């Protein structure tokens, strides 16, 4: 029997019961991912398992590089089988890496393959997966449907036409696919991308800039958007005149670090007010140190596996920023993620400062993100939230992925969650109250997200 069996990662009878009776039966809301909506609209078919498992998956690319695989077999000109063969060679050595579990979950849940992938069976598995990919139910929409995914929220630039979201809605796909408002290019005034982006926005001063952002939020809301998302390398907070900073940058001058912070703070405050108007939840993804390898960035571009964790302090500025929203009555529902696990307790205590307004879990400690969406990272996030807040109000897992078979991560999370709760019950630390446990597990698996985002 495969090591991925019905009791995989479940170490007590209570954990097994919680998973099989409650968690396993819940549908999925994937409220944050990086799937390409065009591929969903066109219901694309992947020609090979390599395209599906390795295409754009920088998690796997990093592992292959660490295992000594030449870039030619990762993002280079090698054939699809040669690339698949290389990951098959490396994977058995990745003991303890969540990719070992994820890859085998992907093969088993989508393709019915129980064998452990290695160099000797790579060709057999490659051929079988490719055979299935050509059959009914293995298009992009079929893959999404295999895990009963009810909602997918993509990540979209404010200037996006949302044409693919409209097409998906109009052709009646059972899974709802909604956009998420991600205005990073409009906020990062100190980046080289800012002036070209402002030219695309066709605005000439700070007021028209804000008006354009407001117009785009209106447009996203009309097309089903329920969330915004912000990638913050550091949390800004500085007072000053954002219009003057905007004018200086438009004149082609370089802005200082403090001026950039003044601008970012003002824009985030403006956006928070708009999010409140529409009931959007606001996500802050904090602390990625991006594009560290200059040579590889110039060769492959961003999001190719050369980012890491930053260690900047976040507490003071985050407190001032959230308090400025709250003081003006414009603090939206907010989910805070930090890429650095040292910040779990910082964020866990920060959200407690601003709960209220009669909203269950108005501020959320986001699930283990990116380098932390593995067993230890998920466990530490769950325990921090349990220690500091109301775990039963948590909105649960997301994929944060570009892969159409990454819904196995929701299963992975649910098994870990049930194992933790089940362990507490069997240790006598929480009563074996079936009604309460059912509400907690079903809530964190699905129902809390459905309620919180208003889908």
């Amino acid at each position: 029997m495969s090591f991925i069996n019905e009791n995989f990662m479940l170490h007590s009878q209570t954990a097994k019961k919680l998973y099989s009776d409650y968690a396993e039966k819940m549908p999925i809301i994937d409220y944050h991912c990086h799937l390409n909506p065009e591929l969903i609209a066109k219901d694309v078919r992947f020609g090979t398992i390599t395209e599906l498992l390795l295409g754009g998956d920088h998690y796997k690319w990093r592992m292959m590089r660490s295992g000594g695989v030449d870039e030619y077999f990762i993002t280079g000109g090698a054939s699809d089988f040669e690339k698949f063969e290389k990951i098959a060679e490396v994977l058995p050595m990745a003991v303890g890496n969540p990719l070992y579990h994820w890859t085998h979950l992907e093969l088993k849940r989508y393709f019915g393959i129980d064998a452990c992938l290695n160099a000797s069976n790579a060709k057999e598995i490659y051929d079988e997966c490719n055979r299935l990919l050509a059959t009914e139910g293995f298009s992009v929409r079929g893959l999404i449907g295999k895990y009963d995914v009810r909602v997918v929220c993509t990540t979209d630039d404010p200037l996006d036409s949302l044409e693919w979201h409209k097409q998906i809605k109009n052709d009646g796909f059972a899974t709802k696919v909604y956009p998420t408002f991600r205005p990073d290019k409009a906020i990062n005034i100190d980046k080289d991308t800012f002036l070209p982006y402002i030219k695309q926005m066709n605005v000439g001063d700070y007021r028209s800039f804000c008006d354009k952002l407001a117009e785009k939020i209106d447009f996203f809301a009309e097309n089903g958007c329920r969330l915004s998302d912000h990638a913050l390398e550091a949390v800004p907070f500085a007072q000053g005149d954002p219009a003057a900073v905007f004018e200086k940058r438009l004149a082609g001058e370089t802005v200082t670090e403090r001026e950039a912070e003044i601008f970012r703070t003002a824009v985030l405050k403006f956006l928070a007010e708009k999010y409140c108007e529409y009931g959007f939840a606001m996500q802050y993804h904090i602390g990625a140190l991006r594009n560290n390898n200059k040579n590889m960035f110039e060769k492959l571009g961003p999001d190719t596996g050369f980012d890491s964790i930053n260690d900047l302090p976040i507490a003071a500025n985050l407190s001032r920023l959230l308090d400025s929203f709250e003081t003006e009555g414009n603090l939206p529902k907010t989910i805070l993620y930090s890429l650095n696990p040292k910040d779990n307790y910082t964020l866990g205590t920060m959200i407690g400062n601003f709960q209220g307004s009669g909203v269950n879990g108005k501020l959320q400690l986001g699930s283990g993100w990116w380098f932390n969406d593995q067993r230890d990272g998920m466990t530490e996030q769950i325990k921090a939230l349990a220690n500091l807040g109301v775990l039963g109000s948590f909105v649960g897992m997301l994929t944060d992925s570009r892969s159409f078979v990454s819904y196995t991560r929701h299963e992975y999370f649910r098994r870990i969650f049930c194992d933790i709760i089940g362990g507490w019950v069997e240790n006598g630390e929480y009563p074996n109250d079936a009604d309460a446990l059912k509400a907690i597990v079903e809530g964190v698996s699905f129902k809390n997200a459905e309620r919180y985002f208003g889908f």
Side-chain angles (χ1 to χ4, degrees), residues 178-199:
Y178 298 129
T180 296
F181 191 79
R182 174 83 171 244
D184 293 348
K185 290 181 181 177
I187 292 175
N188 292 326
I189 194 169
D190 51 346
K191 304 294 186 185
D192 292 339
T193 53
F194 184 76
L195 289 179
Y197 192 76
I198 294 303
K199 186 175 181 180

Side-chain angles (χ1 to χ4, degrees), residues 157-179:
D157 185 90
L159 300 185
D160 195 294
S161 69
L162 304 184
E163 61 176 306
W164 304 116
H165 295 85
K166 294 175 185 178
Q167 182 174 318
I168 294 165
K169 179 182 178 181
N170 291 337
D171 64 18
F173 182 38
T175 301
K176 305 300 181 186
V177 181
Y178 298 129

Side-chain angles (χ1 to χ4, degrees), residues 14 17-18 21-22 425 430-442:
T14 303
K17 182 174 176 59
L18 292 177
D21 287 2
Y22 309 130
V425 170
Y430 189 85
N432 196 358
D433 181 333
D435 290 340
L437 291 169
K438 180 177 188 289
I440 291 168
V441 173
E442 290 185 347

Side-chain angles (χ1 to χ4, degrees), residues 194-375:
F194 184 76
L195 289 179
Y197 192 76
I198 294 303
K199 186 175 181 180
Q200 281 185 273
M201 290 183 74
N202 193 27
V203 295
D205 55 35
Y206 182 69
R207 180 170 181 176
S208 62
F209 167 79
C210 290
D211 288 345
K212 178 67 76 171
L213 287 177
E215 173 191 317
K216 293 302 180 182
I217 292 172
D218 295 343
F219 175 62
F220 270 60
E222 290 168 7
N223 285 278
C225 179
R226 304 298 305 150
L227 297 96
S228 68
D229 185 37
H230 299 266
L232 302 177
E233 293 179 10
V235 181
F237 190 81
Q239 304 282 26
D241 182 2
V245 178
F246 187 84
E247 289 176 11
K248 179 179 179 179
R249 188 72 177 100
L250 243 59
E253 297 182 49
T254 301
V255 297
T256 66
E257 185 176 330
R258 177 169 175 77
E259 287 171 333
E261 201 164 344
I262 288 169
F263 181 80
R264 274 194 280 268
T265 302
V267 177
L268 289 174
K269 289 179 71 172
F270 171 78
L271 291 172
E273 181 178 359
K274 290 295 296 182
Y275 300 155
C276 284
E277 288 180 25
Y278 282 106
F280 285 10
M282 178 174 71
Q283 299 176 97
Y284 282 173
H285 284 88
I286 303 167
L289 188 62
R290 299 179 187 272
N291 305 320
N292 295 275
N293 187 325
K294 182 179 179 182
N295 288 341
M296 294 307 290
F297 174 73
E298 291 176 351
K299 181 179 179 180
L300 299 176
D303 304 320
T304 51
F306 300 96
D307 304 330
S308 58
I309 296 171
N310 211 331
D311 59 356
L312 295 173
I314 64 173
N317 278 2
L318 182 60
S319 172
R320 295 185 187 108
L321 188 65
L322 295 177
D323 188 53
S324 70
F325 300 163
E326 176 76 4
T327 299
E328 297 176 13
N330 294 321
L331 178 61
K333 290 179 288 187
T334 300
I335 308 175
L336 301 176
Y337 313 80
S338 176
L339 199 53
N340 196 323
K342 74 175 178 60
D343 296 326
N344 278 336
Y345 276 76
T346 299
L347 297 185
T349 53
M350 188 66 68
I351 65 174
N353 298 329
F354 299 100
Q355 302 288 17
S357 308
V359 179
N360 188 358
K362 180 178 179 179
L363 270 75
Q364 295 272 332
L365 174 61
S367 63
W369 164 47
W370 200 345
F371 297 115
N372 299 305
D373 57 1
Q374 26 76 8
R375 178 172 51 193

